[in-house]
Amino acid sequence: MSRLVLVILGKQGAGKGTQCARLSARYEIPHVSTGDILRAAVKAGSPLGREVASVLESGGLVSDDLVNRLVASRFTEPDARRGALLDGFPRTIGQAAALDELLGEDGVSLCINLDVPNELAVARLSSRRVCVECKTIYRDTDPEAISGTCSNCGGDVIQRSDDTPEAIAARLALYERDTAPLLDFYAARGLLVTLDGARDADVVTADIEAVIAARGLS
Ligand code: AMP
C-alpha cells in the first residue's frame, strides 16, 4: 500500500486533534502534531523548547524553517513509513511548499478542512482541557477535567497556557492571515475536502472515513 499522508486543516478548536487521534488508530499511521512536539520540547526545557516557549505562550507562530525541520525529522521515524496525519502543519504556504518537497512524487494524499464558525472555536478552546501525557481532550465539565486526572492514562489534565482569551484571539487572527490561504493551495491541486466540523465528533469521523474510502485511499 502506498503512503497515506493526510493534512487536517481547520482553525484552532475545529476538532483536528480529536479526529487525528481516532484516524491514527483506524489507519495505523502516526498523529503528527507540531504543537504537541513543540509543547513537549518546552516541557522538557530543551534548547528548542527554550527558544519557542514565549512564542507558544503568546499564540504566535514559530518560524517555518524550524517547523519544517521538525517535520522532516519526524518523517524519518519508522512509524511514518506508512504515512501520517498532520495536525497543525502546514500552517503557512511556505510550510506547504516544504512539505511537497519533503514528500516528493507521492505528495499529500488528501487535505480535510474541518470548518467551524469562530464563535464555536472560541467556545471549544475556552472550555478545552487536555491530558499532558496522552493528549486526550476533555471539556471543563468532564469529570476528568474536574478531578485533574485522565481516565485513559492517569496523566494530569490541564488547561493549555495558550487557551487564554488573548492567545486564542491571536491564534485565530493568524489562522485567517497565514493558514486560510492553504485552502486555495490544496483546492487548486484537487486535494481539498471541506466538512462541517461543528457536528458531533463521531459523525465527522464517519464522514472523513467515507471520503478516504471514496478516494480509494484505504
Ligand atoms: P497547536 O497545538 O497546533 O494549536 O499549536 C500550538 C502552538 O505551537 C501554535 O500556536 C504555534 O505557536 C506553534 N505551532 C504549532 N505548529 C506550528 C506550525 N506549523 N508553524 C508555526 N508554529 C506552530
Side-chain angles (χ1 to χ4, degrees):
M1 197 181 110
S2 64
R3 192 161 57 168
L4 179 64
V5 178
L6 300 174
V7 170
I8 310 297
L9 274 186
K11 63 185 64 139
Q12 295 78 1
K16 300 187 296 294
T18 300
Q19 294 302 328
C20 283
R22 293 158 173 237
L23 297 167
S24 171
R26 164 80 171 76
Y27 296 103
E28 297 178 355
I29 51 176
H31 171 192
V32 175
S33 155
T34 42
D36 281 347
I37 295 171
L38 292 166
R39 273 186 294 278
V42 172
K43 194 172 168 215
S46 68
L48 166 68
R50 288 199 297 275
E51 188 183 334
V52 301
S54 63
V55 180
L56 260 70
E57 187 87 24
S58 68
L61 290 183
V62 308
S63 75
D64 281 1
D65 188 49
L66 193 155
V67 182
N68 291 341
R69 277 187 282 126
L70 284 181
V71 172
S73 152
R74 184 65 185 83
F75 265 101
T76 64
E77 290 176 38
D79 65 341
R81 226 175 282 142
R82 298 186 62 239
L85 280 147
L86 297 178
D87 166 7
F89 180 91
R91 240 180 172 95
T92 64
I93 294 285
Q95 293 177 16
L99 178 63
D100 274 352
E101 199 169 313
L102 176 72
L103 296 175
E105 223 170 81
D106 287 346
V108 167
S109 314
L110 182 66
C111 174
I112 300 283
N113 172 38
L114 300 176
D115 189 37
V116 293
N118 259 15
E119 309 77 68
L120 179 61
V122 171
R124 283 181 176 173
L125 293 175
S126 308
S127 66
R128 175 165 73 179
R129 301 293 182 272
V130 58
C131 171
V132 292
E133 301 299 335
C134 72
K135 320 295 176 209
T136 298
I137 294 164
Y138 295 104
R139 299 277 146 243
D140 54 357
T141 48
D142 289 336
E144 292 87 348
I146 293 164
S147 69
T149 306
C150 178
S151 53
N152 189 37
C153 76
D156 287 342
V157 174
I158 57 137
Q159 180 167 32
R160 273 172 52 171
S161 61
D162 61 351
D163 279 344
T164 58
E166 300 75 24
I168 289 171
R171 288 154 66 209
L172 288 173
L174 279 182
Y175 169 82
E176 291 303 334
R177 194 190 76 185
D178 293 332
T179 309
L182 292 181
L183 300 178
D184 284 344
F185 179 95
Y186 286 115
R189 288 160 174 71
L191 292 173
L192 183 74
V193 174
T194 292
L195 300 174
D196 176 3
R199 297 166 302 160
D200 188 82
D202 289 341
V203 180
V204 177
T205 308
D207 261 15
I208 297 174
E209 290 177 357
V211 171
I212 290 171
R215 295 219 169 195
L217 295 170
S218 61

